[in-house]
Amino acid sequence: MSDQGTAFFPPKDIADKFRNDPETLKLASTDYGHIVHEIPATVFRPTSANDIATLVKFVYNNSLPIKIAARGHAHSVRGQAMSRNGVVINMTALNDPDHLRKAGSRISVSRSPSLGFYADVGGDQLWIDVLQTTLTYGLAPVSWTDYLYLTVGGTLSNAGISGQTFRFGPQISNVHEMDVITGKGDFVTCSAKVNSELYYAVLGGLGQFGIIIRARIALEPAPERVKWLRILYTNFSQFSKDQERLISANNGGRLTTSHKNYGFDYVEGSLLLNQGPPDLSFYPKPDQPRISSLVTKYGIVFCLEVAKYYDDHTPAITVDKELEILLKGLGFVPGFKFVKDVAVVDFLNRVASEEKALRSKGLWDIPHPWLNIFVPKSRILEFESAVFEHMILKENISAGLVLIYPTNRNKWNDKMSAVIPSEDVFYVVSMLRSSGYNNWEEFDTQNKLILKLCVHMGIKFKLYLSHYETQEDWRNHFGLKWATFQYRKAQFDPKHILAPGQRIFN
């Protein structure tokens, strides 16, 4: 194969693992976003970590102008896992049944005196498979993303956030150790104590410093059941005040003598907008008409979504009593509290049913011009008023699914590469929109207008799942971390081989 006229003849021992047929290249040239399309020269299907190390080391030692992107489930939305005219590593090939028969499972559960229970998990593994495997031991990770069909390496390269983040931190805060292949082709085991610079660089590092081969994930005893509630508000100030109360130390971080969590285990929020029929599938059918009327009347209804985990042996009356205490004093609309009792796997994997429905309608593999932004607590009221009440409602801009919920900065480790606002509490705001193939640019323009408005208002936001076109924008994004980010790049990927789709150094 060739890259911009440069011949590339890989080492003989891995030469048979490259694919460049049209169908393989087509699959590797797009992602969940369906916005960016970059055709690679070839796709590499490794069967071992050594294969990946051999490839990277070969490119590094031969000064080839070849870029390498590790691709897991490709749930990125702006081409972050692509490599134009370069090599895309299909990480899921490590999970090939023939390979597993020889090498063994890519998910294993162990226990040590110092760490307690943990799972050693391949970076190519999906979180849904991690959950299902660990549950057979009565264990589970504590921090999740809303969607579980993502790879471990993919989420750890960003942060991995959801409604549990306020209590347990993002997924990157729950990793004991990793095996990483650097941009030099070195295979390195790293942790907070051993090769710590690489460890902190890779977590939230957007794939810039190494390819995650294995991660050691912290586990705890798994709950069996979940009380899953949605509570409706018509006033954003009250809604945000109650969310912040529920994630505070007194209501969200206290432990009882039995070491069970006292507060809620999950806190998120979302919007029901008067933009066509809202999705009311969660709610009992008899209640759906009055919820629709509430949305029609107010234009925006704010949904507080919380979950309380418990075990089968916990009396239902005890759980209900705890819920009553936790909900006391909240300012939601009377009569608009809805409760489900489900198995923990059904709660954690709740998006799977939505995916199935969207796929059946042909609405999954379409463009997704998403906007994910972290907003400081001190500016969230102004943000909500300017963006949702004025831009979205008054100008009738389709917002799609909107998530909005606070989290605690002290659950993040500032040594890691991930970037967040400086305030103790900040909000995750996600506008998860879908579009047709011919109008995604219209949505993208609206996203840019929202960011421009935030800049004009002086809101010191940070993007999540970031996408920038210039290095200056990346420099502004990382702020005080930029010098460290550059230093780590020079140390672990000095020839800028890895993750070209992020457009940080190329």
Side-chain angles (χ1 to χ4, degrees), residues 216 258 353:
R216 179 164 290 179
S258 64
S353 59

Side-chain angles (χ1 to χ4, degrees), residues 200-222:
Y200 290 123
V202 168
L203 292 171
L206 306 177
Q208 293 300 305
F209 312 105
I211 298 170
I212 299 172
I213 301 300
R214 174 188 64 92
R216 179 164 290 179
I217 308 296
L219 302 178
E220 287 193 355

Side-chain angles (χ1 to χ4, degrees), residues 251-504:
N251 293 282
R254 197 160 64 208
L255 299 177
T256 66
T257 53
S258 64
H259 299 290
K260 295 293 182 182
N261 294 321
Y262 174 77
F264 284 113
D265 298 280
Y266 166 98
V267 176
E268 277 197 12
S270 59
L271 306 187
L272 293 173
L273 291 161
N274 189 21
Q275 294 185 335
D279 179 9
L280 302 179
S281 56
F282 175 90
Y283 305 94
K285 281 192 176 180
D287 293 299
Q288 292 179 10
R290 65 191 187 98
I291 296 173
S292 291
S293 296
L294 198 69
V295 176
T296 301
K297 180 179 179 179
Y298 287 93
I300 305 179
V301 169
F302 306 97
C303 171
L304 172 60
E305 184 175 36
V306 293
K308 177 68 182 171
Y309 301 160
Y310 71 101
D311 301 316
D312 282 339
H313 62 265
T314 305
I317 191 169
T318 302
V319 182
D320 291 339
K321 197 168 185 178
E322 279 196 34
L323 289 180
E324 186 180 329
I325 293 170
L326 290 169
L327 296 175
K328 189 175 182 180
L330 298 188
F332 57 90
V333 182
F336 285 85
K337 178 187 73 175
F338 306 93
V339 185
K340 283 186 177 182
D341 192 310
V342 298
V344 66
V345 69
D346 293 332
F347 171 71
L348 293 175
N349 196 30
R350 59 197 176 279
V351 179
S353 59
E354 296 175 26
E355 176 185 356
K356 186 177 180 180
L358 289 170
R359 284 190 183 277
S360 69
K361 299 174 184 176
L363 297 175
W364 185 260
D365 294 318
I366 58 177
H368 295 93
W370 285 4
L371 177 65
N372 293 278
I373 182 173
F374 294 155
V375 180
K377 167 189 166 180
S378 65
R379 307 301 301 274
I380 194 64
L381 294 179
E382 296 164 84
F383 178 92
E384 188 278 331
S385 176
V387 174
F388 296 119
E389 292 184 24
H390 289 84
M391 287 187 69
I392 301 300
L393 276 189
K394 289 190 176 180
E395 297 180 27
N396 198 29
I397 295 173
S398 176
L401 171 64
V402 178
L403 304 180
I404 181 166
Y405 59 94
T407 192
N408 295 311
R409 193 179 204 281
N410 64 7
K411 298 298 182 180
W412 297 66
N413 189 325
D414 204 44
K415 293 180 181 178
M416 296 175 183
S417 293
V419 181
I420 57 177
S422 59
E423 292 188 11
D424 290 341
V425 173
F426 61 92
Y427 276 75
V428 177
V429 181
S430 298
M431 295 176 62
L432 308 180
R433 305 192 290 182
S434 303
S435 74
Y437 280 95
N438 297 322
N439 67 333
W440 69 263
E441 290 180 329
E442 177 184 338
F443 288 89
D444 199 45
T445 298
Q446 293 163 4
N447 290 341
K448 290 174 181 176
L449 287 174
I450 291 171
L451 297 181
K452 188 175 181 180
L453 176 63
C454 289
V455 171
H456 177 72
M457 294 171 65
I459 297 176
K460 296 182 178 179
F461 66 88
K462 292 295 180 183
L463 286 184
Y464 181 59
L465 307 179
S466 315
H467 167 75
Y468 296 107
E469 295 292 342
T470 70
Q471 194 174 94
E472 182 182 359
D473 287 334
W474 280 111
R475 189 182 298 114
N476 291 334
H477 170 76
F478 284 105
L480 295 176
K481 285 190 175 184
W482 177 245
T484 301
F485 202 83
Q486 281 185 307
Y487 167 77
R488 288 170 170 173
K489 186 69 170 179
Q491 189 175 1
F492 301 117
D493 184 23
K495 294 185 177 179
H496 300 179
I497 293 170
L498 300 178
Q502 296 283 1
R503 300 180 181 274
I504 300 177

Side-chain angles (χ1 to χ4, degrees), residues 66-111:
I66 302 287
K67 307 295 183 183
I68 298 173
R71 174 189 169 100
H73 203 229
H75 204 72
S76 54
V77 296
R78 296 303 295 250
Q80 288 92 335
M82 297 180 197
S83 180
R84 183 180 184 183
N85 293 322
V87 180
V88 169
I89 301 177
N90 183 348
M91 297 295 289
T92 63
L94 293 169
N95 208 30
D96 181 86
D98 291 335
H99 166 60
L100 293 181
R101 276 194 289 272
K102 299 174 184 176
S105 173
R106 299 278 295 157
I107 305 172
S108 63
V109 174
S110 306
R111 184 180 186 278

Side-chain angles (χ1 to χ4, degrees), residues 29-295:
S29 68
T30 190
D31 59 13
Y32 179 70
H34 291 288
I35 291 171
V36 175
H37 300 275
E38 302 280 12
I39 300 175
T42 189
V43 174
F44 183 55
R45 293 182 53 83
T47 56
S48 69
N50 187 58
D51 288 346
I52 299 173
T54 299
L55 169 64
V56 178
K57 191 177 289 288
F58 178 78
V59 172
Y60 176 77
N61 288 335
N62 286 274
S63 299
L64 295 168
I66 302 287
K67 307 295 183 183
I68 298 173
R71 174 189 169 100
H73 203 229
H75 204 72
S76 54
V77 296
R78 296 303 295 250
Q80 288 92 335
M82 297 180 197
S83 180
R84 183 180 184 183
N85 293 322
V87 180
V88 169
I89 301 177
N90 183 348
M91 297 295 289
T92 63
L94 293 169
N95 208 30
D96 181 86
D98 291 335
H99 166 60
L100 293 181
R101 276 194 289 272
K102 299 174 184 176
S105 173
R106 299 278 295 157
I107 305 172
S108 63
V109 174
S110 306
R111 184 180 186 278
S112 78
S114 60
L115 301 179
F117 288 103
Y118 60 84
D120 282 316
V121 180
D124 54 288
Q125 295 297 294
L126 298 178
W127 282 103
I128 182 62
D129 296 323
V130 176
L131 174 63
Q132 291 173 341
T133 300
T134 57
L135 281 178
T136 63
Y137 296 85
L139 302 166
V142 295
S143 191
W144 299 95
T145 52
D146 289 321
Y147 181 58
L148 301 187
Y149 289 81
L150 306 174
T151 60
V152 170
T155 66
L156 296 184
S157 294
N158 288 282
I161 58 173
S162 182
Q164 300 90 357
T165 303
F166 80 95
R167 180 191 291 283
F168 300 107
Q171 291 179 317
I172 56 175
S173 294
N174 295 278
V175 180
H176 294 307
E177 178 183 285
M178 292 180 291
D179 289 336
V180 174
I181 294 173
T182 71
K184 299 178 181 179
D186 297 329
F187 184 98
V188 182
T189 298
C190 57
S191 68
K193 295 181 179 179
V194 179
N195 297 311
S196 60
E197 189 74 34
L198 179 62
Y199 170 82
Y200 290 123
V202 168
L203 292 171
L206 306 177
Q208 293 300 305
F209 312 105
I211 298 170
I212 299 172
I213 301 300
R214 174 188 64 92
R216 179 164 290 179
I217 308 296
L219 302 178
E220 287 193 355
E224 293 162 314
R225 304 290 302 176
V226 178
K227 289 283 187 178
W228 181 9
L229 293 75
R230 289 190 181 179
I231 306 164
L232 303 186
Y233 291 73
T234 55
N235 180 281
F236 182 76
S237 179
Q238 185 64 55
F239 168 73
S240 59
K241 179 182 176 182
D242 285 356
Q243 281 191 315
E244 290 163 19
R245 171 186 161 186
L246 292 178
I247 72 159
S248 68
N250 289 336
N251 293 282
R254 197 160 64 208
L255 299 177
T256 66
T257 53
S258 64
H259 299 290
K260 295 293 182 182
N261 294 321
Y262 174 77
F264 284 113
D265 298 280
Y266 166 98
V267 176
E268 277 197 12
S270 59
L271 306 187
L272 293 173
L273 291 161
N274 189 21
Q275 294 185 335
D279 179 9
L280 302 179
S281 56
F282 175 90
Y283 305 94
K285 281 192 176 180
D287 293 299
Q288 292 179 10
R290 65 191 187 98
I291 296 173
S292 291
S293 296
L294 198 69
V295 176

